[in-house]
Amino acid sequence: MPHALITGVCGQDGSYLAEFLLERDYQVTGLTRRVPDRSEAGVLDDRVEVLIGDVAVEGVVADLVTAIRPDELYNLAAPSFVPSDDPIGVAEATALGAARILDAVARHHPRCRLYQASSSELFGHPAEVPQTETTPFRPRSPYGAAKLHAHWLTVIARDVHGLHASSGILYNHESPRRGLSFVTRRITNTAARIASGERITLTLGDLDARRDWGFAGDYVEAMWAMVSQSVPDDYVICTGTTHSVSDVCEVAFSRLGLDWRDHVARDPDLARGDQHDVLVGDPTKARERLGWSARMGFEELIETMVDADVERVAASRPANPSAP
């Protein structure tokens, strides 16, 4: 039975990856910075051993790698919300965390295969459209800069120190497990609440901003495929198509028989400064070398998220609304 260690196991990607590996008879150990609510991800059952620890703290990962000697290590530990006002915290969790993980494996268990979660935010203001593995990196946020630091450390660990270390440059990937701070979940959750009778308005920034959105459950399969290759490398993981924020609104509200234009307001002050950067990837390398491609389409993804939020809203309401 192969043994996998997943940092950031309680996040969206960590939960889907744990589920995917359990289905393939892995032993799964997860690391998280906070005590998890196992109902949050919906899949962290008793088969996943969840440990508490911070990858950025000296000795935490080294002791864990030495103790369990995992066959595979997936580093998903990082703040995932790009507009962070804590650049120091982002750097510690993302860049320093990756440095400690790579050092721990190199020193204590160099046969372990590594996956590093990189991001399309590495490209920032992209030099070309679409982006490939050879597109120059130009991050525009503390998150992107920290991810770039971790990315290059992974390349060095592979090319200089001989570790089996791969990076997945993942574009936006969503699911019903996405946090409410992200625009897709804000839209689907608000649509569900409006459909339930709440009189609220959803206020968004740039409705014309476009992103390459895919399903997180598909993307974790690409992570495993990278680690399973005989030769490690870096891969752009994406759908290769873009949709606008207004497209998300259209699909989400239409799923509930609503016209999004009746419920969504635009506030230019909420728009991010990089919203007009066209981040769309070219998944050719992943398709040709990993045999991977995104399966769930955009409309199915958003509708799946809406359906899940409708269930959540219904479950959160009292059984007898007239009761005090």
Side-chain angles (χ1 to χ4, degrees):
M1 178 181 291
H3 193 169
L5 172 60
I6 304 172
T7 67
V9 72
C10 290
Q12 170 189 253
D13 292 4
S15 69
Y16 277 110
L17 179 60
E19 182 180 56
F20 177 84
L21 294 176
L22 288 171
E23 291 174 352
R24 283 151 184 80
D25 296 324
Y26 273 69
Q27 178 182 355
V28 179
T29 299
L31 187 67
T32 181
R33 288 194 297 176
R34 58 180 176 78
V35 178
D37 177 353
R38 286 182 178 266
S39 66
E40 289 179 353
V43 297
L44 294 181
D45 59 29
D46 291 338
R47 292 178 294 170
V48 180
E49 179 187 20
V50 179
L51 305 176
I52 309 301
D54 190 336
V55 296
V57 174
E58 184 175 2
V60 169
V61 179
D63 290 346
L64 186 55
V65 167
T66 301
I68 71 172
R69 299 183 68 79
D71 299 288
E72 300 168 8
L73 194 160
Y74 297 84
N75 181 28
L76 311 182
S80 57
F81 191 52
V82 175
S84 174
D85 58 358
D86 182 18
I88 295 175
V90 169
E92 289 177 343
T94 304
L96 180 59
R100 294 206 186 282
I101 287 170
L102 291 162
D103 181 69
V105 170
R107 290 176 181 272
H108 304 292
H109 189 34
R111 293 181 61 184
C112 176
R113 295 189 172 198
L114 284 153
Y115 169 81
Q116 168 62 30
S118 289
S119 166
S120 61
E121 292 293 324
L122 300 183
F123 298 119
H125 183 60
E128 59 186 7
V129 178
Q131 296 87 49
T132 71
E133 291 79 6
T134 61
T135 300
F137 298 133
R138 301 166 63 176
R140 298 188 66 191
S141 68
Y143 173 83
K147 278 290 188 183
L148 181 56
H149 186 97
H151 179 86
W152 280 123
L153 288 177
T154 304
V155 173
I156 292 168
R158 178 177 68 232
D159 294 348
V160 178
H161 302 295
L163 296 185
H164 193 294
S166 299
S167 287
I169 305 174
L170 271 58
Y171 282 65
N172 294 61
H173 47 291
E174 318 297 316
S175 76
R177 301 174 191 173
R178 196 58 143 155
L180 285 170
S181 58
F182 293 87
V183 67
T184 50
R185 267 299 307 285
R186 284 185 59 208
I187 292 169
T188 61
N189 178 67
T190 304
R193 291 169 59 195
I194 291 172
S196 74
E198 290 190 46
R199 297 180 178 273
I200 53 178
T201 298
L202 174 62
T203 303
L204 299 171
D206 188 355
L207 296 173
D208 298 321
R210 304 186 69 87
R211 288 293 182 265
D212 186 331
W213 275 302
F215 172 50
D218 289 343
Y219 285 30
V220 300
E221 297 183 18
M223 302 175 188
W224 178 73
M226 289 179 221
V227 172
S228 301
Q229 297 299 300
S230 58
V231 178
D233 207 344
D234 305 324
Y235 295 87
V236 165
I237 304 300
C238 61
T239 70
T241 60
T242 65
H243 293 86
S244 67
V245 174
S246 61
D247 291 338
V248 179
C249 293
E250 171 68 29
V251 175
F253 282 85
S254 293
R255 180 69 167 175
L256 302 171
L258 302 171
D259 187 335
W260 69 273
R261 289 164 293 192
D262 296 333
H263 305 281
V264 177
R266 185 195 301 252
D267 183 352
D269 291 338
L270 297 178
R272 282 171 47 189
D274 60 351
Q275 291 288 56
H276 295 292
D277 294 327
V278 182
L279 290 176
V280 55
D282 178 351
T284 299
K285 182 178 176 181
R287 183 176 62 250
E288 293 181 349
R289 298 194 186 180
L290 303 179
W292 179 91
S293 60
R295 293 193 304 272
M296 184 178 290
F298 173 74
E299 291 192 6
E300 182 184 357
L301 169 62
I302 302 304
E303 289 176 350
T304 298
M305 294 173 66
V306 169
D307 293 348
D309 277 323
V310 167
E311 291 185 8
R312 287 192 185 99
V313 170
S316 68
R317 294 188 177 280
N320 183 1
S322 61

